Amino acid sequence: MLTNALLQVASPLAAAAGSATATPAASPGHFLDLLNGALQNVSATQGAASVAQAGFAAGVPGATLGKALVANDRAEVAWNATVAVRNEVVSAYQSIMNMQF
């Protein structure tokens, strides 16, 4: 759901960037690829935290409470950063939409 919302916000921005003079190194789809990769990394971090917690709860050898807590903290920081970036993107989009020409 978050991915779809961010992609909806990013699509007009990517289209605008594609219509502007672009450097050869920056392709129009590069921003969306970067965004998708970042969201996949956050999802992987959350998955790793779930696995670490389940492993500790199941008593898997080598799974410790410390590892589960660190994985959970990493997932929480990644999620909070994602939400902060989303809020900034939405704020910038709203500022642009409120501009009068």
Side-chain angles (χ1 to χ4, degrees):
M1 186 170 141
L2 177 62
T3 304
N4 292 337
L6 284 174
L7 289 177
Q8 286 175 351
V9 170
S11 293
L13 296 175
S19 65
T21 304
T23 60
S27 64
H30 181 70
F31 175 73
L32 293 178
D33 293 338
L34 182 67
L35 183 66
N36 191 21
L39 291 174
Q40 287 177 352
N41 286 340
V42 171
S43 181
T45 303
Q46 290 174 337
S50 295
V51 168
Q53 291 172 1
F56 175 72
V60 174
T64 64
L65 178 61
K67 289 179 182 177
L69 290 175
V70 168
N72 189 37
D73 286 345
R74 286 183 181 166
E76 184 178 356
V77 167
W79 177 253
N80 289 338
T82 302
V83 170
V85 168
R86 189 244 2 220
N87 290 343
E88 290 297 321
V89 168
V90 169
S91 175
Y93 179 76
Q94 289 173 343
S95 296
I96 291 170
M97 294 306 294
N98 288 332
M99 287 183 182
Q100 295 189 9
F101 296 99

